[in-house]
Amino acid sequence: MQSKADTYIAYMTELFSNAWAEAWGAALNRSDAYRQAGKSWEGAIVLEAQADPERGLPETAAVYLDLWRGECRAARLATADDTVGASYVISGPLSVWLTVLEGEMAPTMAILRGKLKLKHGSVAGLLPHVHAATELVRVAQSVVLTTATTPIEPTVTADPVHHEHPRPALQSTSRVGLRYDLFPMKLWEKAKRLGIWNPTDIDFSKDREDWDRLTVGERDLLLRLAALFQAGEEAVTIDILPLLDVIASEGRLEEQLYLTSFIWEEAKHVEAIRRFLDAVGANGQDLTHYHSPSYRTVFADALPESMSRLRTDRSPVAQARASATYNMIVEGVLAETGYHVFHRILTDRGIMPGMQQVAAYLKADESRHLAYGIYLLSRLTVAHGDPVWNAIVDRMNTLLNPAIAIIGEAFAAYPIDDVPFGLTPEPFVQFAMSQFQKRMDRVEKARGSSLGALEVDTTEE
């Protein structure tokens, strides 16, 4: 049976050729979806595939697309001048471009994981255009598919049907007892020692004094950040319950013990941020207008959908989708980047000691949550192989765009040369990229590992 990659290779004379570039440009101009998604994109892009003779590309090839507000004004093989003058130059191995064109890896994910390199331009500059990038690739896929004689069917992973099971036998009074050596029990021990803090004990009086000295724009940015955090923490507090139930139903008592601290800590985060908002005078305000379209895509749609699905589908694939959404996207990309912003603003300026303390508690708690998420995804990958790994990758492909767009939408609310506190998006995007890539690499490493190795190789740095 001919693989998808083999099909593309058979038509390599068309990929990254002038004819293919022209066909892509024409298809973009016929696409209403791209016209809408790309209406704010102003600038040319060069996509470069490195030489790969074994796959039919004897020398490095690149295509040039002159994109302007939803229109492709030119599409051709790139010249040296094109490469110098383009707003963005993205380069990578042909094998990676094939996975992108096959739809197995979103372009955003390929860049965040370092599979594709930005030779010119910044990731922060791409933030407002992640939806346009998705449409660019989608249209490119249609061009490739129409040139191939063998249709390429999308890979669909069938989720096993869930069947109800009785509650497992009680473990702690059996011969098994409790396995203190398991990684979740180590996290449980840390949670008992390090997670004991009370939002009521935090003094926000100095925070209010500092707040009164801030500019209108600075207050707005802090309100925006706190509002995103507040709703996100409430959402995960509500939505984690089905995961707790699934782990309990499988008789994983040690994991269930740790997960009880998960929900308790998330609930404290809700209270702590609300107390900060009340202390600085935000009580009585409706802060939901800070929730951007991409924010609602993640928190109002993707998160509750993937978690509530566990009530009827407890398969390993469904568990992987839920954990990838909750741990890798919500906690790993968004929450961690958010308290990094808080740290940069408050600690660097020596203001708002109460909120500084909250951010430090959040960071410590979430580091344990992330460690468990990596453990769970790794355990599922080791035990169930490619179906689980494919589900994780698919979830990342789906949600990375809106997750990164949330960062871009937050910065886009302010003039580009007058963001409060003098912030720029680049360092925070780089931080998110680095953390995300590290964790995806860890989960991918589990594909060739063993369950025993996970107990000593899944600590959160």
Side-chain angles (χ1 to χ4, degrees):
M1 179 178 176
Q2 189 178 36
S3 70
K4 291 189 286 185
D6 288 340
T7 302
Y8 281 118
I9 293 167
Y11 289 88
M12 192 51 61
T13 54
E14 296 183 13
L15 283 176
F16 289 95
S17 67
N18 194 67
W20 179 67
E22 289 178 349
W24 188 5
L28 286 170
N29 288 330
R30 292 192 302 269
S31 171
D32 291 335
Y34 173 71
R35 187 173 299 108
Q36 179 65 26
K39 62 184 179 181
S40 64
W41 187 314
E42 299 177 352
I45 185 170
V46 170
L47 308 177
E48 179 183 88
Q50 297 162 4
D52 190 341
E54 291 186 2
R55 287 184 169 86
L57 192 65
E59 57 186 27
T60 296
V63 298
Y64 169 87
L65 301 174
D66 181 7
L67 306 173
W68 188 262
R69 298 181 181 180
E71 178 188 356
C72 181
R73 301 190 298 190
R76 59 175 183 268
L77 278 179
T79 66
D81 288 342
D82 290 336
T83 301
V84 172
S87 300
Y88 301 97
V89 177
I90 305 175
S91 178
L94 179 60
S95 59
V96 175
W97 283 116
L98 289 174
T99 62
V100 170
L101 291 171
E102 290 166 8
E104 294 182 359
M105 183 181 296
T108 306
M109 184 174 179
I111 293 172
L112 287 177
R113 295 201 65 198
K115 306 294 186 181
L116 295 176
K117 303 292 185 182
L118 266 175
K119 295 177 66 174
H120 183 65
S122 70
V123 176
L126 282 172
L127 282 179
H129 309 301
V130 290
H131 299 305
T134 299
E135 285 303 316
L136 272 175
V137 172
R138 187 192 62 78
V139 174
Q141 291 167 347
S142 71
V143 172
V144 173
L145 293 177
T146 57
T147 63
T149 56
T150 304
I152 302 173
E153 299 296 333
T155 300
V156 178
T157 302
D159 294 341
V161 177
H162 165 62
H163 298 285
E164 292 291 340
H165 296 286
R167 187 184 72 187
L170 297 178
Q171 175 184 323
S172 62
T173 51
S174 71
R175 293 179 183 272
V176 176
L178 286 176
R179 290 192 57 188
Y180 301 107
D181 60 318
L182 293 181
F183 182 73
M185 286 297 285
K186 298 173 186 177
L187 292 176
W188 173 234
E189 191 64 27
K190 285 185 176 182
K192 290 183 295 179
R193 287 190 293 106
L194 305 176
I196 308 301
W197 59 277
N198 186 351
T200 309
D201 295 337
I202 298 175
D203 182 4
F204 291 109
S205 58
K206 181 63 165 57
D207 295 52
R208 180 54 192 257
E209 294 177 11
D210 292 335
W211 179 268
D212 289 339
R213 288 190 288 267
L214 296 178
T215 68
V216 172
E218 290 169 342
R219 292 181 190 178
D220 185 77
L221 189 147
L222 287 177
L223 276 181
R224 182 182 305 276
L225 186 57
L228 298 180
F229 251 115
Q230 179 70 25
E233 295 291 352
E234 182 179 350
V236 294
T237 302
I238 295 169
D239 294 329
I240 193 177
L241 290 172
L243 179 62
L244 217 71
D245 189 39
V246 168
I247 297 300
S249 72
E250 292 184 348
R252 302 181 184 278
L253 181 59
E254 291 82 3
E255 292 187 40
Q256 185 187 0
L257 290 181
Y258 172 63
L259 282 172
T260 62
S261 74
F262 231 85
I263 190 169
W264 181 58
E265 288 165 356
E266 301 288 22
K268 286 196 297 181
H269 300 171
V270 176
E271 180 188 353
I273 298 171
R274 186 66 247 184
R275 285 184 178 275
F276 164 76
L277 288 169
D278 293 342
V280 299
N283 47 316
Q285 296 186 40
D286 184 356
L287 303 177
T288 58
H289 65 279
Y290 288 118
H291 301 165
S292 65
S294 296
Y295 185 89
R296 290 191 290 271
T297 294
V298 173
F299 286 95
D301 299 331
L303 179 64
E305 181 277 325
S306 63
M307 299 302 288
S308 63
R309 182 176 179 176
L310 294 176
R311 299 187 187 280
T312 56
D313 179 2
R314 301 184 174 190
S315 67
V317 165
Q319 291 181 46
R321 289 180 76 254
S323 180
T325 304
Y326 193 129
N327 300 115
M328 298 291 281
I329 291 293
V330 170
E331 293 186 318
V333 173
L334 296 175
E336 191 171 44
T337 302
Y339 54 66
H340 185 60
V341 177
F342 264 131
H343 176 79
R344 282 288 305 275
I345 293 174
L346 306 183
T347 305
D348 289 359
R349 288 162 180 78
I351 61 174
M352 299 189 176
M355 191 60 208
Q356 284 189 49
Q357 193 174 0
V358 171
Y361 284 139
L362 263 62
K363 181 177 181 180
D365 290 348
E366 299 287 4
S367 70
R368 296 189 294 274
H369 300 180
L370 284 163
Y372 175 75
I374 295 170
Y375 172 85
L376 174 59
L377 291 171
S378 298
R379 173 172 67 73
L380 291 169
T381 299
V382 169
H384 303 283
D386 284 346
V388 161
W389 172 249
N390 292 338
I392 296 169
V393 172
D394 178 70
R395 201 57 174 163
M396 296 300 97
N397 279 333
T398 300
L399 293 181
L400 261 179
N401 275 1
I404 296 300
I406 290 171
I407 303 174
E409 288 164 353
F411 276 92
Y414 309 98
I416 191 169
D417 57 350
D418 192 26
V419 178
F421 299 105
L423 298 182
T424 59
E426 186 68 29
F428 304 111
V429 175
Q430 294 293 342
F431 175 82
M433 287 173 56
S434 173
Q435 297 298 88
F436 172 78
Q437 182 174 345
K438 177 180 70 174
R439 291 178 182 125
M440 279 297 289
D441 288 346
R442 277 182 151 168
V443 177
E444 186 172 22
K445 182 180 177 182
R447 299 177 76 188
S449 185
S450 65
L451 289 174
L454 298 181
E455 303 306 331
V456 295
D457 192 39
T458 322
T459 53
E460 176 66 11
E461 297 176 357

